[in-house]
Amino acid sequence: MMGKLMKYDLKSMLKVIIPFWIAMFVTGILWSGQAKTALLDINNADGPGSLIMGITMMLFLVLITAVIVMNVVVIIQRFWKGLLKEEGYLMFTIPVSQRSLILSKVLSSFLITIGTILVIFLLVMAMGLMHGMDLSVLVQSKFLKQFVNDWGVYSILYGSVSVLNGIYHLYAAMALGQLSSRNRFICSFAAYVALAVLFSLVETLLLESGFHVMLNEWLYVIVRVVEIVIFHGITEFILTKHLNLE
């Protein structure tokens, strides 16, 4: 059943985000091509080609921002409409637990976010290759090898946990916000800020206490995991005991 839930959520989210991925990638390649042409033809740097390159670059930057924003919007929209609005009446009649519904949304949002990061990474690589970047030199770089050996596993783990933490933070805030009978979205925003401030204070106290010296950088991962558990607990408890569908 979890697979079917995720398939339904991913289909809904991809339908919105894929056009933005394509637009960003195509515009990035076009801008990179214009930039390469301008660099090769310095004499025409002030001509129409330069203007086109500038416009394309601005559009490219706007699209990158739009893709990141839309990624967050899709995450919010899927949870809000799927569980807290009219669609929630249908979802909560399915013979699955609230935990499964939440996990389906979380894992789908996580995959969408990884997809966005991957598309941006591939675009950067493609643009680099267009401008003569040598991948073999990059792969054999001592700095890269040292970084992968020392921080590779930690970076992937911390990055993944941070993405999940951000998703759960949004979900917990929306679950708290829906407890209000009016201005739910504003209340959700207020809950998001309150949770952020609260956990930031706790993290600051932990780091200033000297406790982080014993665990080094792994404390940051542990703190994020603990926050995820708390966020999930808040979300599941509210959806189970205090769901207030519109």
Side-chain angles (χ1 to χ4, degrees), residues 48 58 93 112 117 120 133 140-141 152 161-162 164 186 217 225:
M58 289 298 297
T93 59
I112 290 294
I117 295 171
I120 293 174
M133 181 181 70
Q140 295 173 7
S141 167
V161 170
S162 295
L164 289 171
I186 295 175
E217 66 274 359
V225 171

Side-chain angles (χ1 to χ4, degrees), residues 32-45 53 130-132:
S32 185
Q34 289 287 341
K36 185 176 181 180
T37 301
L39 288 171
L40 292 174
D41 192 4
I42 299 176
N43 293 329
N44 293 330
M53 184 184 73
M130 289 178 68
H131 287 269

Side-chain angles (χ1 to χ4, degrees), residues 105-173:
K105 299 286 187 292
V106 168
L107 294 176
S108 297
S109 297
F110 177 78
L111 291 176
I112 290 294
T113 303
I114 296 302
T116 296
I117 295 171
L118 182 60
V119 170
I120 293 174
F121 173 78
L122 291 175
L123 176 57
V124 171
M125 289 292 102
M127 291 170 66
L129 290 172
M130 289 178 68
H131 287 269
M133 181 181 70
D134 191 339
L135 280 180
S136 62
V137 174
L138 179 64
V139 171
Q140 295 173 7
S141 167
K142 290 183 179 180
F143 172 79
L144 181 61
K145 289 181 178 179
Q146 187 69 32
F147 178 82
V148 171
N149 290 334
D150 295 345
W151 296 96
V153 174
Y154 176 81
S155 298
I156 293 173
L157 180 60
Y158 181 77
S160 299
V161 170
S162 295
V163 169
L164 289 171
N165 181 283
I167 294 169
Y168 264 117
H169 188 168
L170 289 168
Y171 287 0

Side-chain angles (χ1 to χ4, degrees), residues 224-239:
R224 293 288 180 269
V225 171
V226 171
E227 289 177 359
I228 287 173
V229 173
I230 294 173
F231 287 146
H232 180 94
I234 292 172
T235 307
E236 184 174 343
F237 176 77
I238 292 175
L239 294 187

